[in-house]
Amino acid sequence: MSLVNIAENLERVREEIRNACISSGRKENEVLLCAVSKFHPAEDVVEAMKSGQVLFGENRVQEACEKFTQVEAMGFTPDLHIIGNLQTNKIKKACEIASCIQSVDREDVLREAEKHLARMNRCLEVYFELHTAEDSKSGYGSEDDLLRSCENIASGLYPHIVPKGLMTMAPFTDDERLVRSSFQKTRILRDRLNREFPNLPIQVLSMGMSGDYKIAIEEGSTMVRVGTAIFGERNYSR
């Protein structure tokens, strides 16, 4: 069992989210918290769920499958989002275990996911990941490519995929201007997609992590992905 007080950390993060919303002139319940549990054990997820946390983000599909099978065996029903880069051979399992893939970064992911979802006869929410920082190699780097994906969904090419939002990672830097620029680009593109594809429910802005989620909220984030501030430092040997 972790020595970190997950309940206290969760309450502190929630309070900081509320305060950031209020100071930005937004409603205090306007931002959803996704607890990033990668490299933390199932017991830590259960501790968070006992404190009312339901939504969790995992990077690696295999780890998520093993961990959340254990969590469900303990009598809990979490909501799981995949937030890490997906290899083609992991997409089928991601479609089985997650309610949302936040890291759709290319058309191939949509094509492969649709194939499996059609066989499962289920729909899946997705967020498009944007490459707005050089630190991250993943994400749509071209607006034209993203627009093409949206056009294909709007035309009915992927009927089992529901595009709900955009996701990005800001650069790891102390230069607040660069961090804000990353979030601003994502918000501006979300607004453009809303204008050009009014029938697509692209509303969520998943941006902001443990080190920059307050800035992200100021720039319009509707979901922050926080791990270390809740669960403590990750054990990468797991």
Side-chain angles (χ1 to χ4, degrees):
M1 182 67 67
S2 172
L3 297 178
V4 174
N5 194 318
I6 292 172
E8 288 185 2
N9 289 349
L10 264 173
E11 183 52 40
R12 181 175 63 254
V13 170
R14 289 168 179 158
E15 182 65 21
E16 290 176 349
I17 290 172
R18 286 192 292 267
N19 290 339
C21 285
I22 292 170
S23 65
S24 302
R26 303 174 62 185
K27 296 178 181 178
E28 61 181 66
N29 61 350
E30 204 170 310
V31 177
L32 190 62
L33 171 61
C34 177
V36 179
S37 48
K38 65 178 181 180
F39 297 113
H40 292 283
E43 290 81 4
D44 285 3
V45 173
V46 168
E47 284 301 305
M49 294 201 73
K50 289 178 180 177
S51 296
Q53 184 63 30
V54 176
L55 176 59
F56 296 86
E58 286 280 337
N59 282 57
R60 302 189 301 178
V61 174
Q62 183 175 344
E63 178 189 352
C65 185
E66 295 171 355
K67 181 186 307 180
F68 284 82
T69 296
Q70 296 176 44
V71 172
E72 291 175 356
M74 297 180 206
F76 295 86
T77 307
D79 184 9
L80 174 62
H81 285 197
I82 298 298
I83 62 174
N85 182 257
L86 276 177
Q87 297 176 331
T88 302
N89 63 351
K90 301 295 184 182
I91 293 174
K92 179 177 183 291
K93 180 57 70 173
C95 290
E96 292 175 351
I97 66 174
S99 67
C100 177
I101 296 175
Q102 293 199 22
S103 49
V104 172
D105 60 356
R106 61 195 187 280
E107 185 84 13
D108 287 350
V109 175
L110 296 173
R111 190 177 300 111
E112 186 72 11
E114 174 61 33
K115 179 177 71 176
H116 297 300
L117 291 166
R119 291 172 181 166
M120 299 173 196
N121 193 29
R122 69 169 300 209
C123 292
L124 184 73
E125 294 182 358
V126 303
Y127 302 167
F128 298 112
E129 181 178 2
L130 302 186
H131 182 197
T132 61
E134 290 306 316
D135 305 47
S136 172
K137 301 299 183 184
S138 59
Y140 280 90
S142 164
E143 288 191 15
D144 289 340
D145 289 343
L146 177 55
L147 290 169
R148 192 173 302 112
S149 291
C150 290
E151 288 171 359
N152 287 336
I153 294 174
S155 69
L157 186 59
Y158 306 120
H160 295 86
I161 290 175
V162 184
K164 296 287 286 188
L166 303 181
M167 184 264 270
T168 199
M169 292 176 58
F172 297 105
T173 176
D174 293 329
D175 190 336
E176 187 175 309
R177 294 172 301 173
L178 294 178
V179 174
R180 288 189 183 277
S181 176
S182 175
F183 297 146
Q184 290 165 0
K185 289 176 183 176
T186 306
R187 186 187 69 242
I188 290 169
L189 184 53
R190 190 274 313 269
D191 294 344
R192 177 185 175 186
L193 293 176
N194 287 169
R195 292 191 302 271
E196 297 193 18
F197 303 97
N199 293 327
L200 295 185
I202 301 174
Q203 296 295 328
V204 179
L205 287 175
S206 175
M207 52 191 202
M209 301 190 295
S210 287
D212 56 23
Y213 67 86
K214 296 176 188 176
I215 297 173
I217 290 171
E218 292 173 1
E219 295 298 340
S221 175
T222 64
M223 178 185 291
V224 294
R225 308 181 308 276
V226 180
T228 303
I230 296 171
F231 296 107
E233 295 298 326
R234 300 183 179 98
N235 182 354
Y236 292 98
S237 66
R238 292 187 184 277

